[in-house]
Amino acid sequence: MRHVDICILGAGPGGATAALHLATAGQPVLLLDKAVFPRDKICGDALSGKVLSELRRLGPDLVSRLSASAGQVPSWGIDFFAPNGQRLAVPFKPRYTKTVDAAAGHVMKRLDFDNFLVEEVRQRPEIELLEGVDVAQPEQAADGRWLLRTAAGEALASARLLLVANGAQSAFARQIAGHALEPAHHCAGVRAYYEGVTGLSPDNFIELHFIQDFLPGYLWVFPLPNGQANVGAGMLTKAVSAKKVNLRERMTEMLATHPALKDRFKGARRLGPIKGFGLPLGSKRRVISGNGYLLLGDAASLIDPFSGEGISHAMVSGRHAADWATRALAANDTAASFLQQYDAAVYRRLGQELRLSHWLQRLLQFPALFNFVANRAANNPTLAETISGMFLDLDLRERLRQPSFYMKLLFGGK
C-alpha cells in the first residue's frame, strides 16, 4: 500500500505530460495505466504544431528526437476537400522550404508516440510507473484521500490528489465528475490502417474530405511511414443517431465509390479491422476539477470539435494540472474551490480556440458556403494564405465568424 501525494490515472499524452512536469518540479508521483506500453490507441495519429510546442516545454531536445524517429513522417499542411470536390491546400507555414524549415507537424502512430513519452517517464526517478494495473473506481475517504484498489480488490495506494487522465471512456469522469455523454457534444469515429494508397501528398499533407452526403461528418487520410496511411471517418454522435449511419460500412463504401477516392484505394490493402472510438468534444465548457481531483485530456472532454485534435489539448491540460497540483500541495488545499483555478487556466489557453472550432463545426451545415470559400481560395493566393494563417493565429480565425469576411469574398475583396 503506497501513500502518495499525487496519483495519475492514465499514462497517455495527458498523464505522461503531467508526470514529467511534476518530476521536473521535484514532485514524486505515482502513474498507473491498465495497459502495458507500447500499446495501440485509436486516433488519427496527427501531431500538430501545438504538440511540438508542448514537447519543447518538456525538454529542449524532444522535438529533434521525435523528428529523427523512423516511426514518423513530417507533415507540411492540410488538404481540405470541399463538398464539391475542390481542393484547398493549407500549408502549416504559408511559405516553406523543406530543406530549410523544420516541419510544423508530424504523423506518428499512437503506438509509437505514446511510447515515446512513456520512455521519457521511465527515465525519471521521481515517477513510479505501474503498467498492466486495472484500477477499480477510486473511493474518497472521510479525510479526503483517494483510496485505490485493483479490480480484484487488492489495496494499491492512497493519494491526496488524483489526476484523472484515463481517456474518453473514463468511468471517473462520468460517475464522479458527472460528465454525461451528450450526443450534441460527442463524436463517433472509426479508423483503420491501409497500405498501398496512391496519390498521397509528397509533402505529407494530411487530408480532410468533407463529402456532400456524409456531412456533418468528414473522412480523413493521413500519411504514415512505410507507405501506410491512417484512414478514418467521424461524425457527431447526434447526427449518427439521427441518420442511422453505420460508420464502418459508410467509410468502406466511400473509399470504394467516391470519385476522389475509389481509384486511390483500388489497389490498397487494409491492415487489420476498422476500429471504433468515441470523442468527447470541447464544444461545451465543463467543470474539470473537484474535491481532490483534476480531469485531463479526453477525460476532461477537451477534444477540438472541428478537427478532432486531442493530443495537444491533453498535453496542455497535463502541464496545467502539474502546475496546479503543485500549488495545491504547497497551499495544503485540495478543495474544489482552490482547484477550480486549474479550470480557469485550461480554458484561458484553450477556450477561445474551442469556441471558434465549434463555430466552424456548425459551418458544415452550410456546404454551399464551404464550396464558395474553397473555390475563391483556389484562385486567390492572398485568400489562401490568409486561411493558412487562420490555423496558427486565432485572431485571423475569428474573421471567419464575421459577415464582412464573406462580403469581401463575394465582391472580390482580398
Side-chain angles (χ1 to χ4, degrees), residues 1 133-139 147-157:
M1 184 73 169
V133 178
D134 190 6
V135 180
Q137 186 74 291
E139 298 175 6
L147 306 179
L148 296 109
R149 296 181 174 84
T150 66
E154 178 187 355
L156 188 62

Side-chain angles (χ1 to χ4, degrees), residues 181 183-184 186 188 235-247:
L181 190 157
H186 187 275
M235 180 181 282
L236 267 181
T237 301
K238 179 180 179 180
V240 169
S241 178
K243 295 172 177 285
K244 297 181 172 56
V245 176
N246 182 311
L247 284 178

Side-chain angles (χ1 to χ4, degrees), residues 5-6 27 160-161 322-335 337-339 341:
D5 284 330
I6 299 176
Q27 174 64 52
R160 289 184 66 192
L161 195 54
D323 178 28
W324 283 100
T326 303
R327 296 189 194 206
L329 294 179
N332 194 29
D333 189 350
T334 60
S337 57
F338 184 90
L339 294 177
Q341 295 175 91

Side-chain angles (χ1 to χ4, degrees), residues 59 67 71 110 124 150 205 212 218 223 228 255 316 324 352 369:
S67 301
R110 288 291 297 275
R124 305 302 294 266
T150 66
F205 277 40
Q212 180 73 43
Y218 64 88
Q228 295 185 15
L255 296 179
V316 166
W324 283 100
Q352 183 187 7
L369 186 57

Side-chain angles (χ1 to χ4, degrees), residues 7 13 36 44 55 83 97-98 103 110 117 120 132 192 197 202 220 262 298 305 308 317 331 386-387 394 403 413:
C7 178
V36 176
L55 285 176
T97 305
K98 287 197 295 182
R110 288 291 297 275
L117 289 178
E120 291 301 307
V197 180
W220 69 79
K262 62 180 183 180
D298 292 2
S317 67
T386 297
I387 293 174
L394 290 180

Side-chain angles (χ1 to χ4, degrees), residues 92-114:
F92 292 134
K93 297 180 180 179
R95 299 185 181 89
Y96 66 91
T97 305
K98 287 197 295 182
T99 55
V100 175
D101 295 327
H106 297 263
V107 189
M108 186 179 195
K109 289 182 179 179
R110 288 291 297 275
L111 178 81
D112 298 318
F113 178 70
D114 289 15

